[in-house]
């Protein structure tokens, strides 16, 4: 694990997982449900209109087999809509629980990551302190301080003609 992005993913974010989020999935389920519900309502309105027209042309007591079949289909559609609504509700609850689970897991991983970072920092500081104790600073003195001063003075006196000082350098 020498790669710092593996040790500290919050410091060096990598590529995010792709795909729809739970809110997008919930929104898609909701839209599908609403579309289906609107279709059912349209069909019911058409059936009611047909029923009124049929009742106007025939006696109110007479119901044709086709009308009975249409009523049965409308009832089936309503039942399907109720079932789909329950399924949508279950899916939303399931997605909410999955989302909370992954949030908890993310918090745990971030805490572990922070603890590892803290521990590694402490180990680094301890190792640096030990290394500094073993290495003694060296005192160095210039060998030719007079010559260095003359070269520096020559450069100052001839800023545009530095080759005049080449003999000293």
């Amino acid at each position: 694990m020498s790669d710092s992005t593996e040790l500290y993913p919050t410091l060096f974010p990598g590529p995010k997982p792709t795909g729809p989020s739970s809110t997008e999935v919930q929104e898609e389920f909701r839209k599908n449900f609403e579309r289906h519900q609107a279709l059912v309502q349209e069909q019911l309105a058409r059936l009611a209109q047909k029923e009124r027209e049929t009742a106007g042309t025939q006696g109110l007591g007479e119901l044709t087999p086709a009308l009975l079949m249409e009523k049965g289909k409308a009832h089936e559609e309503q039942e399907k809509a109720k079932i789909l609504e329950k399924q949508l509700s279950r899916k939303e609850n399931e997605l909410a629980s999955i989302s909370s689970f992954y949030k908890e897991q993310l918090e745990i991983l971030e805490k572990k990551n922070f603890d590892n970072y803290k521990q590694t920092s402490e180990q680094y500081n301890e190792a640096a302190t030990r290394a500094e104790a073993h290495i003694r600073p060296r005192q160095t003195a210039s060998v030719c301080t007079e010559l260095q001063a003359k070269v520096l003075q020559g450069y100052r006196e001839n800023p545009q003609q530095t080759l005049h000082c080449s003999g000293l350098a």
Side-chain angles (χ1 to χ4, degrees):
M1 282 198 160
S2 63
D3 187 16
S4 59
T5 58
E6 291 175 9
L7 290 174
Y8 309 108
T10 56
L11 297 175
F12 304 100
K16 298 288 183 199
T18 57
S21 67
S22 62
T23 56
E24 291 171 342
V25 171
Q26 287 177 348
E27 188 63 28
E28 189 63 30
F29 276 130
R30 187 171 288 116
K31 286 179 182 177
N32 285 339
F33 174 74
E34 288 172 357
R35 274 187 251 134
H36 190 71
Q37 192 73 8
L39 288 173
V40 168
Q41 292 298 327
E42 283 181 34
Q43 287 178 349
L44 287 174
R46 277 189 258 132
L47 286 175
Q49 182 64 29
K50 282 183 185 178
E51 210 172 56
R52 279 186 238 119
E53 289 172 2
T54 306
T57 58
Q58 297 179 349
L60 291 176
E62 291 182 20
L63 292 178
T64 63
L67 190 57
L68 288 174
M69 285 178 49
E70 288 298 321
K71 278 188 171 186
K73 287 181 183 178
H75 183 70
E76 286 178 20
E77 289 294 323
Q78 286 177 339
E79 292 301 317
K80 283 182 184 178
K82 288 178 185 177
I83 291 170
L84 287 173
E85 184 179 10
K86 288 178 185 177
Q87 287 177 346
L88 177 63
S89 175
R90 270 191 305 238
K91 286 290 185 182
E92 286 177 344
N93 291 338
E94 183 180 334
L95 288 172
S97 67
I98 289 172
S99 177
S100 66
F101 171 76
Y102 281 116
K103 284 180 184 176
E104 289 173 12
Q105 293 301 311
L106 182 62
E107 289 174 3
I108 290 169
L109 288 174
E110 285 179 346
K111 184 182 181 319
K112 284 182 181 179
N113 182 34
F114 181 72
D115 291 343
N116 284 340
Y117 174 74
K118 218 156 107 179
Q119 182 182 10
T120 304
S121 294
E122 289 172 5
Q123 289 173 351
Y124 172 80
N125 289 333
E126 289 173 9
T129 304
R130 283 193 305 255
E132 287 175 356
H134 290 331
I135 299 173
R136 295 182 202 154
R138 295 184 184 183
Q139 298 294 332
T140 57
S142 295
V143 179
C144 307
T145 54
E146 289 176 19
L147 213 53
Q148 285 178 350
K150 287 181 183 177
V151 169
L152 186 59
Q153 183 181 359
Y155 283 138
R156 284 186 187 145
E157 290 173 359
N158 304 304
Q160 301 297 324
Q161 300 170 343
T162 56
L163 290 178
H164 285 291
C165 305
S166 64
L168 291 173

